Structures are given as C-alpha cells and as structure tokens.
Amino acid sequence: MSGKKEKIFLKEAQRVAFDYKHRATIRFNISRYEAAFEKGKARYKDLELARDKAAFIKRKVLAGLPEFLEEFEKNAITNGSEVFWANDSDEAGNIILKIIKETDAQTVVKSKSMTTEEVELNKRLEKAGINSIETDLGEFIVQVAGEKPYHIVTPAMHKSKKDIAALFHKKFATPVDASPEEMTSFVRQKLRKTFRTAKVGITGANFLLAKEGAIALTENEGNGFMSYSFPKVHIVLAGIEKILPSLQDLDLMWPLLSAHGTGQKVTVYNSVVFGPGKEVEPDGPERMVIILLDNGRSHLYNLPEQSEALACIRCGACLNACPIYRNVGGYTYNSVYSGPIGSVITPHFKGLREYQHLSFASSLCGKCGEVCPVKIPLPALLLKNRRDVVVGKMRPKMERMVMKGMEHGLSSRWLMDSGGGGFKNFAAKLTGINTFVGPNREFPDFSRLSFSKQWKIKNK
C-alpha cells in the first residue's frame, strides 16, 4: 500500500492542479519572475563560466566539509561568537529556547529563514509562551494567515494582492482595497516598534564564511539587518552545508543568488556579520550565538551519489522552472523544501520510505538542472532516489507487479504489436484505465496501427 503522506500528496495534487484561480495566481507571479530572471541572466557576459566557478567552489567545500566547519567554528569563537552544534530539530529548538529564557525575552523578531521553518521554531516558541514575529513581508503575510511559506524565496507567492488586502482588512481593519504600497507601509510601521523593543533576534545565514568565522545575509527589505542590529542577542540557525571558504567568494555567489532568485543584479541589503558588537561600537548585539544544524545533512553527505544536492544555495530557480511545482503548488509537497531540490533532499532529511513519493513528482524534463546556478544535476539525483526506492522494494506490491509486466511487454516487439488498436482500446475501457489519469482527463486512444508500422512511418 502507498504511504499516508503519498496518498495525501496525490489527493492534494489532484485538487490543486485543477484549482484554476490558484493556477492563474502562480502563473502570473512566476511569469514576473521569469521576465526578471531573463534580464538578470542577460547582465552576465559569460553566465556559464560563473556557474562553473560557483559549482567548483561548492564541490570544493563538500569535499572538505568537516575541515571547513572546524575552521569556521574556531574563527567564529575567536570573533566572540558562541557556536553550538545541533544534531536535529529538537536539539536546535532546545538550544534556542534556553538562550531566550536566559535573556528573559517574551518576544523575538525573526527574519526569513528556511532552517527555522525546518525545525518548526515558531511552533516551539508558541508552545513555550514566547511571541515570535516574522519580519519579512512575505513571511509576515503567511504567519498572519496561519500558513507556512509556500516557496523557499517568495513565501506568499500563492496569494494575489487582492487576497492579501482581504487578509489585512480582516486581521487589521485596513482598507479592503489597500494598494501594495499601503500594505507595505502598514507592516513597516507595525514592525518598527517591535524591532526596537525585542531582546532577541533570530536569523538564518545565506552563507557561512570559514576563513573569517562570519555569516553572510542577503535580503531586500532590511528586516534581517534590523533583526540582529537592534536586539541585544542575535541567534543564527544555519545548515552545515552553507559554508564558503572565504569572504572573497561572495563577489561570485551573491550576484548568482540574486540573479537566479529574483532576477536582480544584487539584492538590496547584503551584510557580513563577524560577531557581537565590540566595546567601541555603539550598535549591534551584545551576544551572538551560531547554531550549526545537521538534521539529516550528514546522512545525505555520506551518500556518494546524492551528496551533491548539498551544494544548493537556495535560490529557488528550480521551483520556478518545474512544471510539476507550477501546477501542484508548494503546499502539496507537505515539506519545508518543495520543488525539485526538495524532492531530492527531503527523503534523506526525513526518511526515504516516508517521503519516497516526492522523487517521483517530476516529469524529468531537465529544466531544473539547466537553471541551477551551481549545476546540481537534479534530474539524475531524482532518478537515483527512485532507484534506491525500487531496489529497497518500497513501492506498493501491485505497482511493482505492473512495472514488471510493462518491462516484459515493452521489451518484446511481438507483444507490442499484438492485439491491435481496437482490442487495446476495448481492454483499456474494460479495466478502467482512466482512473490512472484522474476524472479531469481522458486516457488517449491507442492507434489502430501496430507499433512496428508506426515506427516505420516515423523513421522513414
């Protein structure tokens, strides 16, 4: 039998794929991204060379990941930061809760961070009676709506400006026809006081710089900057794969991340944080804590064929290019990381047997691999996941029997030609094969010409 999560995925995919309002919203928002992405790529004299360099650096990091992490830890501590290692979500959550309680904080401000989503930090803080405020506009919108991020770069991609105006009108009594500028101004004013009064700020890190022991953040709103500059305690939660050798690599990585993530030449705010504020500095946190999160990454790292997925810089380009993601949407994956990269890494982060179906949620068109700025061969990695699932006999028994029969039938020219189109169409209707494509599509008729005749005609 299929697993529970797979059944939920299939049910949601069927529903969302034929939700035409949702599809129109996603296509409109992604079309705007595509236009910006084309301009972003056009700014490069040699984009392929830049991608080759970025791919080389990230593979260099993976080849020596333990050494780079130790170097980062040593230099971060020298800078005055505290460094903790978290094996899983529980350890990360417990470390963060302990620090917040030591600070006697009731409210924390939080910039956009997929790793905090990964460990369900907001849920943990709420349970502990701590108010966690998302300060990124997109994250703030989905938090107000009681939802999770829809996309790793654009959390509220699934909402139109009309949807957001209606949400704000309901929650904050703002005008029901408020413009995007008016809604942004409202959120800015609402958050400004929170930034000034919060004792703890939590961020992720786009990159960890081994040589400098520093973190690099890139953003468009300034909320990340304020999340660590106003509060007295700055907590950083970052995956162990975020390492770069040094500060010098940012001149390549930041523009690539911007071009592929949003189409920009460079994002509006780019910060490098070397540690807590020094005595001679009037601003900045008094304490900086960096938590290096494993949470399944070591398991993936130790798989020689699939570990390459850890080179990802979380630009989101593969999601925007994927025809499956564009039709079933981010929530259908029921995972923090969706789209092609999520389908590759989630089964290894959270269990191959339980999340195996994600690796089959791909048309294998190859577009995700084409757009990846660090040249991760995503289609090949999806196939390797599928192979491991099949070899491990994790697919339903009936499916394995059908696939075995198809292997036998498709490898025989005689069997392919036998029966005739009329008989095959009759048999298809008799066996209810249309259930495989759902009620909104019709299974196509078989040609009345044999496979051999079609082959000869096509290859004349």
mmCIF file of all heavy atoms in Angstrom, residues 310-348:
data_model
loop_
_atom_site.group_PDB
_atom_site.id
_atom_site.type_symbol
_atom_site.label_atom_id
_atom_site.label_comp_id
_atom_site.label_asym_id
_atom_site.label_seq_id
_atom_site.Cartn_x
_atom_site.Cartn_y
_atom_site.Cartn_z
ATOM 1 N N LEU A 310 23.749 18.898 -1.577
ATOM 2 C CA LEU A 310 24.088 19.834 -0.505
ATOM 3 C C LEU A 310 24.802 21.079 -1.034
ATOM 4 O O LEU A 310 25.060 22.009 -0.267
ATOM 5 C CB LEU A 310 24.963 19.136 0.545
ATOM 6 C CG LEU A 310 24.258 18.059 1.378
ATOM 7 C CD1 LEU A 310 25.274 17.307 2.235
ATOM 8 C CD2 LEU A 310 23.170 18.671 2.248
ATOM 9 N N ALA A 311 25.100 21.113 -2.322
ATOM 10 C CA ALA A 311 25.709 22.313 -2.919
ATOM 11 C C ALA A 311 24.686 23.431 -3.111
ATOM 12 O O ALA A 311 25.048 24.571 -3.404
ATOM 13 C CB ALA A 311 26.348 21.961 -4.268
ATOM 14 N N CYS A 312 23.413 23.127 -2.923
ATOM 15 C CA CYS A 312 22.326 24.088 -3.167
ATOM 16 C C CYS A 312 22.519 25.392 -2.391
ATOM 17 O O CYS A 312 22.870 25.372 -1.208
ATOM 18 C CB CYS A 312 20.998 23.441 -2.786
ATOM 19 S SG CYS A 312 19.579 24.537 -2.930
ATOM 20 N N ILE A 313 22.250 26.542 -3.053
ATOM 21 C CA ILE A 313 22.330 27.845 -2.384
ATOM 22 C C ILE A 313 20.938 28.432 -2.148
ATOM 23 O O ILE A 313 20.793 29.612 -1.826
ATOM 24 C CB ILE A 313 23.217 28.838 -3.170
ATOM 25 C CG1 ILE A 313 22.666 29.097 -4.573
ATOM 26 C CG2 ILE A 313 24.653 28.340 -3.229
ATOM 27 C CD1 ILE A 313 23.401 30.201 -5.335
ATOM 28 N N ARG A 314 19.884 27.631 -2.317
ATOM 29 C CA ARG A 314 18.502 28.019 -2.010
ATOM 30 C C ARG A 314 18.044 29.258 -2.787
ATOM 31 O O ARG A 314 17.453 30.172 -2.219
ATOM 32 C CB ARG A 314 18.333 28.266 -0.510
ATOM 33 C CG ARG A 314 18.683 27.097 0.383
ATOM 34 C CD ARG A 314 17.677 25.956 0.246
ATOM 35 N NE ARG A 314 17.909 24.965 1.295
ATOM 36 C CZ ARG A 314 18.713 23.914 1.170
ATOM 37 N NH1 ARG A 314 19.344 23.687 0.031
ATOM 38 N NH2 ARG A 314 18.865 23.052 2.168
ATOM 39 N N CYS A 315 18.294 29.271 -4.091
ATOM 40 C CA CYS A 315 17.849 30.401 -4.916
ATOM 41 C C CYS A 315 16.403 30.250 -5.362
ATOM 42 O O CYS A 315 15.750 31.229 -5.727
ATOM 43 C CB CYS A 315 18.761 30.561 -6.126
ATOM 44 S SG CYS A 315 18.615 29.221 -7.344
ATOM 45 N N GLY A 316 15.892 29.022 -5.391
ATOM 46 C CA GLY A 316 14.509 28.769 -5.788
ATOM 47 C C GLY A 316 14.282 28.683 -7.281
ATOM 48 O O GLY A 316 13.141 28.503 -7.726
ATOM 49 N N ALA A 317 15.335 28.788 -8.085
ATOM 50 C CA ALA A 317 15.167 28.778 -9.544
ATOM 51 C C ALA A 317 14.572 27.465 -10.042
ATOM 52 O O ALA A 317 13.764 27.453 -10.976
ATOM 53 C CB ALA A 317 16.506 29.033 -10.229
ATOM 54 N N CYS A 318 14.941 26.362 -9.416
ATOM 55 C CA CYS A 318 14.432 25.066 -9.878
ATOM 56 C C CYS A 318 12.935 24.933 -9.628
ATOM 57 O O CYS A 318 12.218 24.291 -10.400
ATOM 58 C CB CYS A 318 15.208 23.921 -9.247
ATOM 59 S SG CYS A 318 15.057 23.777 -7.449
ATOM 60 N N LEU A 319 12.435 25.556 -8.554
ATOM 61 C CA LEU A 319 10.994 25.523 -8.279
ATOM 62 C C LEU A 319 10.239 26.265 -9.378
ATOM 63 O O LEU A 319 9.236 25.788 -9.901
ATOM 64 C CB LEU A 319 10.678 26.169 -6.931
ATOM 65 C CG LEU A 319 10.885 25.347 -5.661
ATOM 66 C CD1 LEU A 319 12.360 25.065 -5.402
ATOM 67 C CD2 LEU A 319 10.279 26.067 -4.461
ATOM 68 N N ASN A 320 10.743 27.453 -9.708
ATOM 69 C CA ASN A 320 10.060 28.284 -10.693
ATOM 70 C C ASN A 320 10.068 27.664 -12.084
ATOM 71 O O ASN A 320 9.175 27.922 -12.886
ATOM 72 C CB ASN A 320 10.721 29.669 -10.748
ATOM 73 C CG ASN A 320 10.640 30.389 -9.413
ATOM 74 O OD1 ASN A 320 9.681 30.229 -8.676
ATOM 75 N ND2 ASN A 320 11.656 31.170 -9.097
ATOM 76 N N ALA A 321 11.078 26.838 -12.361
ATOM 77 C CA ALA A 321 11.190 26.227 -13.690
ATOM 78 C C ALA A 321 10.396 24.929 -13.802
ATOM 79 O O ALA A 321 10.093 24.485 -14.915
ATOM 80 C CB ALA A 321 12.663 25.945 -14.000
ATOM 81 N N CYS A 322 10.041 24.330 -12.665
ATOM 82 C CA CYS A 322 9.466 22.983 -12.663
ATOM 83 C C CYS A 322 7.990 22.975 -13.052
ATOM 84 O O CYS A 322 7.168 23.620 -12.383
ATOM 85 C CB CYS A 322 9.634 22.373 -11.272
ATOM 86 S SG CYS A 322 8.923 20.719 -11.119
ATOM 87 N N PRO A 323 7.609 22.237 -14.089
ATOM 88 C CA PRO A 323 6.194 22.185 -14.484
ATOM 89 C C PRO A 323 5.307 21.511 -13.429
ATOM 90 O O PRO A 323 4.119 21.827 -13.345
ATOM 91 C CB PRO A 323 6.218 21.373 -15.786
ATOM 92 C CG PRO A 323 7.479 20.575 -15.726
ATOM 93 C CD PRO A 323 8.459 21.444 -14.997
ATOM 94 N N ILE A 324 5.865 20.626 -12.634
ATOM 95 C CA ILE A 324 5.085 19.982 -11.573
ATOM 96 C C ILE A 324 4.783 20.987 -10.471
ATOM 97 O O ILE A 324 3.628 21.153 -10.057
ATOM 98 C CB ILE A 324 5.833 18.756 -10.999
ATOM 99 C CG1 ILE A 324 6.184 17.750 -12.108
ATOM 100 C CG2 ILE A 324 4.999 18.089 -9.910
ATOM 101 C CD1 ILE A 324 4.990 17.209 -12.852
ATOM 102 N N TYR A 325 5.823 21.681 -9.996
ATOM 103 C CA TYR A 325 5.617 22.688 -8.955
ATOM 104 C C TYR A 325 4.606 23.744 -9.406
ATOM 105 O O TYR A 325 3.742 24.164 -8.639
ATOM 106 C CB TYR A 325 6.949 23.369 -8.607
ATOM 107 C CG TYR A 325 6.804 24.420 -7.526
ATOM 108 C CD1 TYR A 325 6.950 24.089 -6.191
ATOM 109 C CD2 TYR A 325 6.495 25.739 -7.843
ATOM 110 C CE1 TYR A 325 6.800 25.043 -5.187
ATOM 111 C CE2 TYR A 325 6.331 26.699 -6.859
ATOM 112 C CZ TYR A 325 6.488 26.342 -5.537
ATOM 113 O OH TYR A 325 6.313 27.300 -4.560
ATOM 114 N N ARG A 326 4.703 24.153 -10.654
ATOM 115 C CA ARG A 326 3.836 25.222 -11.156
ATOM 116 C C ARG A 326 2.373 24.790 -11.219
ATOM 117 O O ARG A 326 1.483 25.632 -11.295
ATOM 118 C CB ARG A 326 4.316 25.652 -12.542
ATOM 119 C CG ARG A 326 5.671 26.339 -12.513
ATOM 120 C CD ARG A 326 6.316 26.416 -13.883
ATOM 121 N NE ARG A 326 5.630 27.357 -14.746
ATOM 122 C CZ ARG A 326 6.230 28.363 -15.370
ATOM 123 N NH1 ARG A 326 7.522 28.565 -15.187
ATOM 124 N NH2 ARG A 326 5.564 29.159 -16.165
ATOM 125 N N ASN A 327 2.125 23.491 -11.184
ATOM 126 C CA ASN A 327 0.753 23.001 -11.254
ATOM 127 C C ASN A 327 0.218 22.501 -9.912
ATOM 128 O O ASN A 327 -0.956 22.718 -9.608
ATOM 129 C CB ASN A 327 0.642 21.889 -12.303
ATOM 130 C CG ASN A 327 0.546 22.434 -13.710
ATOM 131 O OD1 ASN A 327 -0.506 22.893 -14.141
ATOM 132 N ND2 ASN A 327 1.659 22.430 -14.431
ATOM 133 N N VAL A 328 1.060 21.860 -9.114
ATOM 134 C CA VAL A 328 0.547 21.329 -7.846
ATOM 135 C C VAL A 328 0.834 22.258 -6.677
ATOM 136 O O VAL A 328 0.243 22.119 -5.605
ATOM 137 C CB VAL A 328 1.112 19.917 -7.541
ATOM 138 C CG1 VAL A 328 0.842 18.975 -8.692
ATOM 139 C CG2 VAL A 328 2.597 19.950 -7.191
ATOM 140 N N GLY A 329 1.746 23.221 -6.863
ATOM 141 C CA GLY A 329 1.998 24.210 -5.826
ATOM 142 C C GLY A 329 2.876 23.733 -4.694
ATOM 143 O O GLY A 329 3.157 22.544 -4.540
ATOM 144 N N GLY A 330 3.319 24.695 -3.867
ATOM 145 C CA GLY A 330 4.270 24.395 -2.810
ATOM 146 C C GLY A 330 3.727 23.587 -1.657
ATOM 147 O O GLY A 330 4.430 22.746 -1.088
ATOM 148 N N TYR A 331 2.470 23.821 -1.281
ATOM 149 C CA TYR A 331 1.926 23.143 -0.103
ATOM 150 C C TYR A 331 1.687 21.655 -0.330
ATOM 151 O O TYR A 331 1.693 20.864 0.622
ATOM 152 C CB TYR A 331 0.611 23.795 0.327
ATOM 153 C CG TYR A 331 0.783 25.169 0.924
ATOM 154 C CD1 TYR A 331 -0.170 26.162 0.730
ATOM 155 C CD2 TYR A 331 1.900 25.479 1.695
ATOM 156 C CE1 TYR A 331 -0.017 27.431 1.285
ATOM 157 C CE2 TYR A 331 2.063 26.737 2.242
ATOM 158 C CZ TYR A 331 1.100 27.709 2.047
ATOM 159 O OH TYR A 331 1.257 28.957 2.593
ATOM 160 N N THR A 332 1.487 21.256 -1.574
ATOM 161 C CA THR A 332 1.203 19.853 -1.870
ATOM 162 C C THR A 332 2.349 18.939 -1.439
ATOM 163 O O THR A 332 2.125 17.794 -1.043
ATOM 164 C CB THR A 332 0.939 19.682 -3.384
ATOM 165 O OG1 THR A 332 -0.148 20.532 -3.746
ATOM 166 C CG2 THR A 332 0.593 18.254 -3.732
ATOM 167 N N TYR A 333 3.579 19.455 -1.470
ATOM 168 C CA TYR A 333 4.737 18.644 -1.114
ATOM 169 C C TYR A 333 4.752 18.295 0.380
ATOM 170 O O TYR A 333 5.416 17.350 0.793
ATOM 171 C CB TYR A 333 6.032 19.375 -1.474
ATOM 172 C CG TYR A 333 6.260 19.503 -2.964
ATOM 173 C CD1 TYR A 333 5.638 20.500 -3.703
ATOM 174 C CD2 TYR A 333 7.104 18.625 -3.646
ATOM 175 C CE1 TYR A 333 5.834 20.630 -5.066
ATOM 176 C CE2 TYR A 333 7.326 18.743 -5.009
ATOM 177 C CZ TYR A 333 6.682 19.750 -5.721
ATOM 178 O OH TYR A 333 6.883 19.869 -7.071
ATOM 179 N N ASN A 334 4.030 19.097 1.198
ATOM 180 C CA ASN A 334 3.967 18.862 2.642
ATOM 181 C C ASN A 334 5.370 18.748 3.228
ATOM 182 O O ASN A 334 5.670 17.884 4.052
ATOM 183 C CB ASN A 334 3.165 17.591 2.940
ATOM 184 C CG ASN A 334 2.774 17.482 4.408
ATOM 185 O OD1 ASN A 334 2.702 18.477 5.106
ATOM 186 N ND2 ASN A 334 2.540 16.262 4.871
ATOM 187 N N SER A 335 6.234 19.653 2.778
ATOM 188 C CA SER A 335 7.631 19.645 3.185
ATOM 189 C C SER A 335 8.151 21.077 3.179
ATOM 190 O O SER A 335 7.696 21.900 2.377
ATOM 191 C CB SER A 335 8.442 18.783 2.211
ATOM 192 O OG SER A 335 9.823 18.983 2.382
ATOM 193 N N VAL A 336 9.097 21.372 4.041
ATOM 194 C CA VAL A 336 9.685 22.720 4.083
ATOM 195 C C VAL A 336 10.320 23.059 2.739
ATOM 196 O O VAL A 336 10.169 24.160 2.228
ATOM 197 C CB VAL A 336 10.731 22.814 5.216
ATOM 198 C CG1 VAL A 336 11.481 24.140 5.155
ATOM 199 C CG2 VAL A 336 10.060 22.651 6.560
ATOM 200 N N TYR A 337 11.030 22.096 2.166
ATOM 201 C CA TYR A 337 11.697 22.301 0.878
ATOM 202 C C TYR A 337 10.890 21.586 -0.202
ATOM 203 O O TYR A 337 10.764 20.359 -0.187
ATOM 204 C CB TYR A 337 13.131 21.763 0.931
ATOM 205 C CG TYR A 337 13.931 22.390 2.051
ATOM 206 C CD1 TYR A 337 14.276 21.647 3.187
ATOM 207 C CD2 TYR A 337 14.308 23.727 2.003
ATOM 208 C CE1 TYR A 337 14.985 22.216 4.223
ATOM 209 C CE2 TYR A 337 15.024 24.309 3.037
ATOM 210 C CZ TYR A 337 15.358 23.554 4.150
ATOM 211 O OH TYR A 337 16.053 24.131 5.184
ATOM 212 N N SER A 338 10.336 22.365 -1.115
ATOM 213 C CA SER A 338 9.488 21.796 -2.158
ATOM 214 C C SER A 338 10.196 21.848 -3.508
ATOM 215 O O SER A 338 11.380 22.181 -3.596
ATOM 216 C CB SER A 338 8.162 22.568 -2.215
ATOM 217 O OG SER A 338 8.395 23.960 -2.379
ATOM 218 N N GLY A 339 9.472 21.533 -4.564
ATOM 219 C CA GLY A 339 10.052 21.559 -5.901
ATOM 220 C C GLY A 339 11.126 20.503 -6.083
ATOM 221 O O GLY A 339 11.286 19.590 -5.259
ATOM 222 N N PRO A 340 11.914 20.612 -7.149
ATOM 223 C CA PRO A 340 12.934 19.589 -7.436
ATOM 224 C C PRO A 340 13.962 19.397 -6.322
ATOM 225 O O PRO A 340 14.263 18.265 -5.947
ATOM 226 C CB PRO A 340 13.588 20.112 -8.722
ATOM 227 C CG PRO A 340 12.500 20.902 -9.393
ATOM 228 C CD PRO A 340 11.763 21.563 -8.279
ATOM 229 N N ILE A 341 14.499 20.500 -5.778
ATOM 230 C CA ILE A 341 15.517 20.329 -4.734
ATOM 231 C C ILE A 341 14.907 19.696 -3.496
ATOM 232 O O ILE A 341 15.514 18.826 -2.856
ATOM 233 C CB ILE A 341 16.210 21.676 -4.390
ATOM 234 C CG1 ILE A 341 17.362 21.461 -3.409
ATOM 235 C CG2 ILE A 341 15.209 22.684 -3.847
ATOM 236 C CD1 ILE A 341 18.490 20.602 -3.933
ATOM 237 N N GLY A 342 13.681 20.075 -3.157
ATOM 238 C CA GLY A 342 13.006 19.463 -2.024
ATOM 239 C C GLY A 342 12.744 17.989 -2.243
ATOM 240 O O GLY A 342 12.850 17.175 -1.312
ATOM 241 N N SER A 343 12.402 17.626 -3.481
ATOM 242 C CA SER A 343 12.131 16.227 -3.807
ATOM 243 C C SER A 343 13.391 15.372 -3.713
ATOM 244 O O SER A 343 13.312 14.167 -3.484
ATOM 245 C CB SER A 343 11.534 16.128 -5.217
ATOM 246 O OG SER A 343 10.281 16.766 -5.261
ATOM 247 N N VAL A 344 14.557 16.007 -3.894
ATOM 248 C CA VAL A 344 15.822 15.279 -3.771
ATOM 249 C C VAL A 344 16.240 15.147 -2.313
ATOM 250 O O VAL A 344 16.590 14.051 -1.845
ATOM 251 C CB VAL A 344 16.941 15.982 -4.578
ATOM 252 C CG1 VAL A 344 18.311 15.379 -4.239
ATOM 253 C CG2 VAL A 344 16.683 15.853 -6.072
ATOM 254 N N ILE A 345 16.200 16.253 -1.555
ATOM 255 C CA ILE A 345 16.798 16.232 -0.218
ATOM 256 C C ILE A 345 15.846 15.784 0.891
ATOM 257 O O ILE A 345 16.282 15.164 1.865
ATOM 258 C CB ILE A 345 17.411 17.604 0.148
ATOM 259 C CG1 ILE A 345 16.330 18.687 0.265
ATOM 260 C CG2 ILE A 345 18.477 17.996 -0.863
ATOM 261 C CD1 ILE A 345 16.876 20.040 0.717
ATOM 262 N N THR A 346 14.553 16.074 0.768
ATOM 263 C CA THR A 346 13.617 15.752 1.858
ATOM 264 C C THR A 346 13.597 14.263 2.199
ATOM 265 O O THR A 346 13.576 13.902 3.386
ATOM 266 C CB THR A 346 12.204 16.249 1.529
ATOM 267 O OG1 THR A 346 12.239 17.666 1.330
ATOM 268 C CG2 THR A 346 11.228 15.927 2.636
ATOM 269 N N PRO A 347 13.592 13.346 1.203
ATOM 270 C CA PRO A 347 13.608 11.924 1.558
ATOM 271 C C PRO A 347 14.812 11.516 2.403
ATOM 272 O O PRO A 347 14.728 10.561 3.184
ATOM 273 C CB PRO A 347 13.623 11.223 0.190
ATOM 274 C CG PRO A 347 12.970 12.191 -0.728
ATOM 275 C CD PRO A 347 13.443 13.533 -0.256
ATOM 276 N N HIS A 348 15.923 12.239 2.260
ATOM 277 C CA HIS A 348 17.117 11.908 3.035
ATOM 278 C C HIS A 348 17.135 12.647 4.372
ATOM 279 O O HIS A 348 17.732 12.166 5.343
ATOM 280 C CB HIS A 348 18.368 12.215 2.217
ATOM 281 C CG HIS A 348 18.424 11.455 0.934
ATOM 282 N ND1 HIS A 348 18.570 10.084 0.891
ATOM 283 C CD2 HIS A 348 18.294 11.860 -0.356
ATOM 284 C CE1 HIS A 348 18.543 9.682 -0.375
ATOM 285 N NE2 HIS A 348 18.377 10.741 -1.148
#
